[in-house]
Amino acid sequence: VAPYYVSTCTPTARTCLGIVSLCPSCRSGGYYVIGSDSITYYVWCMLDPAAPLGSGWMLLSRGGSACPALTGSTIIARTSMVATPPLCGYQSDAKPFANQASQVMLAVSTSTVPDFKSIAGFSLYIYTESIVAMTALQTGGTWNGGTTVQGVGLPITWQGDTGSFYFYASCNPGGATGWPYMYHSCGQTTGVHWISLGGGLLHSRTSIGTAQTTSSTWIR
């Protein structure tokens, strides 16, 4: 029996949060949802009602130094999810999912095999309900621009483990061009690098300054 749930049901929900409403007892795993473009997608849902931020999070990307060959949308393949869920990859287009969401979460782990069933499996995470953050995912924009300080970006304000996520000041680096290249700290090695670089989706934080073993992007 696979340790993660894999749905074969006809989709009726448009988000992972919608699945929670339809099935409060459902477990984390792969589910079919209907995107804002009316296309059916196979996605990874973290359904953990006991988690600090609640249930219903959808995975948009999994990367980090443990993902040396990050290409394509590998996490949407059902066989990949069942084999070692979820494998390295990213949704090729965030818009069909972001158009139906209102929150973003960035999470990192020092494990090469993190537990994507619960937020408890992450080392650190931050989240936001910023309209600006969501609009960037909905329109192909980035999270760069404006003066920023530790944990607080203008116009994006993050919550959670903000002391370990440094967003440096105003610049428009070439590395941030829109999903999945969302933020680059303009040469500041201890700042956030939420981009696909060197084969993996990387995140640097102040106490390390190098890529985390596993990084992931979630929306709800």
Side-chain angles (χ1 to χ4, degrees):
V1 177
Y4 299 85
Y5 179 72
V6 178
S7 173
T8 57
C9 298
T10 301
T12 56
R14 291 187 171 274
T15 64
C16 291
L17 190 58
I19 290 173
V20 174
S21 299
L22 294 171
C23 180
S25 62
C26 281
R27 295 175 291 160
S28 297
Y31 289 86
Y32 291 102
V33 297
I34 303 172
S36 63
D37 53 6
S38 299
I39 295 176
T40 297
Y41 294 91
Y42 197 73
V43 301
W44 178 266
C45 293
M46 181 165 56
L47 309 179
D48 178 19
L53 298 183
S55 191
W57 290 94
M58 180 187 296
L59 182 65
L60 285 186
S61 70
R62 182 246 163 120
S65 61
C67 299
L70 176 58
T71 58
S73 299
T74 56
I75 62 170
I76 65 173
R78 179 182 176 191
T79 53
S80 296
M81 281 189 168
V82 176
T84 334
L87 297 181
C88 302
Y90 55 89
Q91 294 287 359
S92 58
D93 188 357
K95 299 183 188 72
F97 315 106
N99 285 336
Q100 304 176 137
S102 60
Q103 296 173 300
V104 183
M105 176 171 63
L106 311 182
V108 296
S109 172
T110 56
S111 172
T112 57
V113 189
D115 183 359
F116 278 86
K117 294 181 291 185
S118 169
I119 291 178
F122 302 140
S123 304
L124 298 164
Y125 61 85
I126 56 174
Y127 61 97
T128 184
E129 295 182 355
S130 166
I131 294 176
V132 174
M134 289 307 308
T135 299
L137 291 174
Q138 294 165 356
T139 62
T142 76
W143 296 329
N144 272 96
T147 302
T148 61
V149 295
Q150 177 182 336
V152 179
L154 297 177
I156 301 173
T157 298
W158 299 90
Q159 302 179 65
D161 297 311
T162 57
S164 295
F165 289 75
Y166 275 66
F167 291 84
Y168 281 92
S170 59
C171 61
N172 292 292
T177 57
W179 180 258
Y181 307 85
M182 296 306 296
Y183 190 91
H184 190 277
S185 286
C186 300
Q188 301 286 349
T189 58
T190 57
V192 171
H193 291 68
W194 218 260
I195 56 178
S196 184
L197 179 67
L201 195 70
L202 306 183
H203 165 253
S204 297
R205 66 186 179 91
T206 55
S207 61
I208 295 179
T210 56
Q212 291 293 299
T213 304
T214 299
S215 62
S216 54
T217 309
W218 304 78
I219 58 173
R220 181 174 66 178

